[in-house]
Amino acid sequence: MSLTVTPLSPALGAQISGVDISREITAEQRDAIEQALLEHQVLFFRDQPLTPEQQARFAARFGDLHIHPIYPNVPDTPQVLVLDTAVTDVRDNAVWHTDVTFLPTPALGAVLSAKQLPAFGGDTLWASGIAAFEALSAPLRKMLDGLTATHDFTKSFPLERFGTTPEDLARWEATRRNNPPLSHPVVRSHPVSGRKALFVNEGFTTRINELSELESEALLKLLFAHATRPEFSIRWRWQENDVAFWDNRVTQHFAVDDYRPNRRVMHRATILGDAPF
């Protein structure tokens, strides 16, 4: 097997070469990619032109796929959502977030494919919740273990931006009914590696349940800033047909919104995970 893993930074990130993910990957390739994901948390593949069907097939090798309740999708492949700045307001991606933590079983990971890019700008950053947790002082790590936090769909999808037409309003209201605020651990354990990671994010986390409102606000402010420090993160400069595959259980990411009025089109396939613990 010619698959090669090249680490990109100490905290997270590796580039994968020697595999064509547009084709049906072998069991050996799948296992090697999964092992690299466990170790490096976000993987990058250059020059991998994928049809939506190929992207969904690759992602489905790692778990069941999610259909997003708000974002538009590819009509014949609904498991692939479309992030197109000419069609949808994607400002909620320009904040540090972990995908769909408003679900009882948030995403295991996601496969993102670059379809149309601005001439410059539009980079994406990822940060490691493992590196962030391990860099905290022992007393703070001990305090955080056992705390829970509320995650709310409406924090990144507010009614005033996503309910502006009757059709959008009906979709938003249905999503709100089906996804009421819920709680996850502030620190989660990776279900495979067992490593602990911070699991709060500015996109969806609204408060720490066991603390007063003022205490929660202060601690979340600290954790949001700490988790996204440069030494825990990596920045990827996209090229057309690049693919990123990240472990959503222990990372968060930020899509830099610095390229308007130019257009940026990305396709994402989201892999369902399990309940955080």
Side-chain angles (χ1 to χ4, degrees), residues 111-171:
V111 176
L112 187 66
S113 177
K115 297 302 180 186
Q116 181 175 330
L117 298 170
F120 47 85
D123 298 352
T124 304
L125 294 87
W126 281 264
S128 169
I130 293 174
F133 177 73
E134 292 178 349
L136 293 170
S137 66
L140 188 50
R141 291 198 305 268
K142 183 178 180 180
M143 187 192 79
L144 294 177
D145 244 341
L147 295 180
T148 64
T150 298
H151 294 244
D152 191 340
F153 148 80
T154 64
K155 190 176 183 187
S156 275
F157 295 95
L159 176 61
E160 60 268 22
R161 285 202 289 121
F162 290 91
T164 56
T165 68
E167 181 182 3
D168 289 344
L169 177 60
R171 183 184 301 111

Side-chain angles (χ1 to χ4, degrees), residues 15-139:
Q15 187 168 335
I16 305 296
S17 57
V19 60
D20 181 357
I21 63 173
S22 71
R23 305 178 68 179
E24 184 77 40
I25 59 173
T26 66
E28 187 180 12
Q29 289 171 326
R30 182 216 171 277
D31 291 346
I33 292 170
E34 183 176 53
Q35 185 56 45
L37 186 69
L38 289 174
E39 183 175 352
H40 299 287
Q41 303 166 57
V42 57
L43 308 177
F44 302 101
F45 304 77
R46 290 282 196 196
D47 192 25
Q48 296 275 350
L50 298 177
T51 67
E53 294 80 6
Q54 291 168 337
Q55 183 176 355
R57 182 182 65 197
F58 172 73
R61 290 298 303 272
F62 301 90
D64 295 332
L65 302 186
H66 174 247
I67 298 177
H68 200 278
I70 295 294
Y71 285 130
N73 50 37
V74 176
D76 295 332
T77 313
Q79 302 91 341
V80 175
L81 66 84
V82 179
L83 299 168
D84 183 347
T85 54
V87 176
T88 306
D89 185 346
V90 296
R91 275 179 287 165
D92 56 283
N93 286 287
V95 64
W96 282 103
H97 65 285
T98 300
D99 287 333
V100 296
T101 61
F102 58 83
L103 296 177
T105 54
L108 175 157
V111 176
L112 187 66
S113 177
K115 297 302 180 186
Q116 181 175 330
L117 298 170
F120 47 85
D123 298 352
T124 304
L125 294 87
W126 281 264
S128 169
I130 293 174
F133 177 73
E134 292 178 349
L136 293 170
S137 66

